[in-house]
């Protein structure tokens, strides 16, 4: 997909560093952005001014799709580490798609992935206990890396525990306790003092851990 875009459209490349903002909520929409490297978070502000992490994006993901309907971006897109984004004008993309229908297919696939992610995230928040949400978050991160040909047995979380809790609808303390329980069960291991470098001996163990927690909840609900 990245090669298709590069061959079909004029692309503006931008190197970003941790904390850089790609666009802000309310800004006029004009471009879509594709992650070529790095990690990005989508952030909304509540009516009380509280920051809420509403999405995560990895290499190959599209940013700014929420701006199409209202012609304004719906949230802030913020870099979580050093990376590169490609900016393409939306009108140029539509024009190029007339000549290269595969571009329109790529756009529709990106929209579909976004909808699926939103659905899965809401399902997790509504149905899973706290420890299972954290395990699911780690599994999601590992799966995203695997889909991009990167190693999944060891990686660095680009989010603080407070940010993870914000994203999962949990407190920082709940996230820390969940990670500690995962470590005690040897589902994960911490590889350095900062405890952001995670070693996962078997990624499938995260799924088993989630299922083990979800089953009692399902039984209780039926009862």
């Amino acid at each position: 997909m990245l090669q298709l875009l590069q061959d079909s459209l004029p692309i503006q490349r931008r190197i970003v560093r941790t904390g850089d903002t790609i666009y802000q909520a309310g800004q006029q929409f004009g471009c879509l952005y594709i992650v070529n490297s790095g990690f990005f978070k989508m952030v909304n502000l509540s009516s009380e001014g509280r920051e809420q992490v509403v999405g995560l994006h990895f290499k190959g993901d599209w940013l700014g799709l929420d701006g199409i309907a209202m012609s304004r971006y719906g949230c802030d897109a913020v870099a979580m580490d050093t990376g590169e984004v490609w900016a393409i004008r939306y009108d140029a993309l539509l024009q190029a798609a007339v000549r290269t229908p595969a571009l329109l297919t790529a756009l529709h696939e990106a929209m579909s992935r976004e909808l699926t992610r939103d659905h899965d995230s809401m399902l997790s928040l509504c149905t899973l206990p706290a420890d299972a949400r954290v395990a699911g978050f780690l599994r999601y991160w590992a799966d995203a890396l695997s889909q991009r040909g990167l190693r999944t047995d060891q990686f660095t979380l680009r989010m603080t525990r407070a940010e993870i809790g914000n994203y999962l609808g949990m407190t920082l303390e709940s996230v820390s306790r969940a990670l500690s329980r995962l470590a005690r069960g040897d589902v994960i291991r911490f590889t350095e003092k900062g405890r952001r470098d995670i070693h996962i001996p078997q990624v499938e163990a995260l799924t088993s851990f989630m299922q083990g927690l979800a089953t009692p909840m399902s039984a209780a609900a039926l009862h």
Side-chain angles (χ1 to χ4, degrees):
M1 187 268 290
L2 291 172
Q3 189 62 50
L4 172 66
L5 292 169
Q6 195 171 10
D7 292 342
S8 308
L9 285 160
I11 291 172
Q12 182 179 356
R13 300 169 183 266
R14 177 183 171 187
I15 301 296
V16 296
R17 290 171 176 78
T18 305
D20 285 355
T21 300
I22 310 305
Y23 54 79
Q24 293 180 303
Q27 181 180 329
Q28 185 172 354
F29 171 79
C31 291
L32 291 171
Y33 299 84
I34 294 88
V35 179
N36 188 42
S37 63
F39 304 89
F40 296 79
K41 62 180 178 180
M42 304 297 108
V43 178
N44 272 343
L45 285 180
S46 68
S47 56
E48 300 84 18
R50 185 173 62 88
E51 182 180 285
Q52 175 67 51
V53 180
V54 295
L56 301 172
H57 291 283
F58 302 80
K59 180 175 181 177
D61 285 345
W62 295 55
L63 312 179
L65 293 171
D66 60 337
I68 295 175
M70 302 300 293
S71 298
R72 294 191 181 277
Y73 297 107
C75 58
D76 297 353
V78 183
M80 292 193 288
D81 67 345
T82 299
E84 182 185 72
V85 292
W86 294 357
I88 56 174
R89 288 203 55 81
Y90 182 61
D91 53 2
L93 173 64
L94 295 182
Q95 292 169 11
V98 175
R99 304 185 303 272
T100 311
L103 288 171
L104 195 58
T105 300
L107 176 61
H108 288 161
E109 288 175 350
M111 291 176 171
S112 179
R113 285 193 298 270
E114 190 82 359
L115 288 170
T116 300
R117 261 198 300 257
D118 288 347
H119 172 269
D120 291 346
S121 177
M122 183 59 67
L123 189 64
S124 172
L125 288 175
C126 292
T127 62
L128 293 179
D131 287 7
R133 281 187 232 170
V134 174
F137 168 77
L138 294 176
R139 180 66 200 246
Y140 165 67
W141 197 289
D143 286 346
L145 296 178
S146 176
Q147 292 164 11
R148 290 152 179 83
L150 302 173
R151 64 183 299 182
T152 60
D153 62 320
Q154 187 167 317
F155 53 84
T156 300
L157 288 174
R158 302 296 176 179
M159 303 172 73
T160 65
R161 277 152 176 67
E163 287 175 320
I164 294 171
N166 183 290
Y167 178 59
L168 297 177
M170 299 167 56
T171 64
L172 180 156
E173 293 78 13
S174 295
V175 172
S176 295
R177 286 194 294 268
L179 289 171
S180 294
R181 280 189 280 268
L182 284 164
R184 285 199 299 272
D186 202 35
V187 179
I188 66 171
R189 299 169 189 167
F190 298 110
T191 59
E192 52 90 28
K193 291 183 180 179
R195 296 169 73 84
R196 281 207 200 182
D197 287 344
I198 304 290
H199 173 57
I200 304 178
Q202 292 184 321
V203 175
E204 294 74 16
L206 289 167
T207 302
S208 299
F209 181 86
M210 293 168 59
Q211 292 172 343
L213 292 172
T215 300
M217 285 192 67
S218 299
L222 288 172
H223 180 72

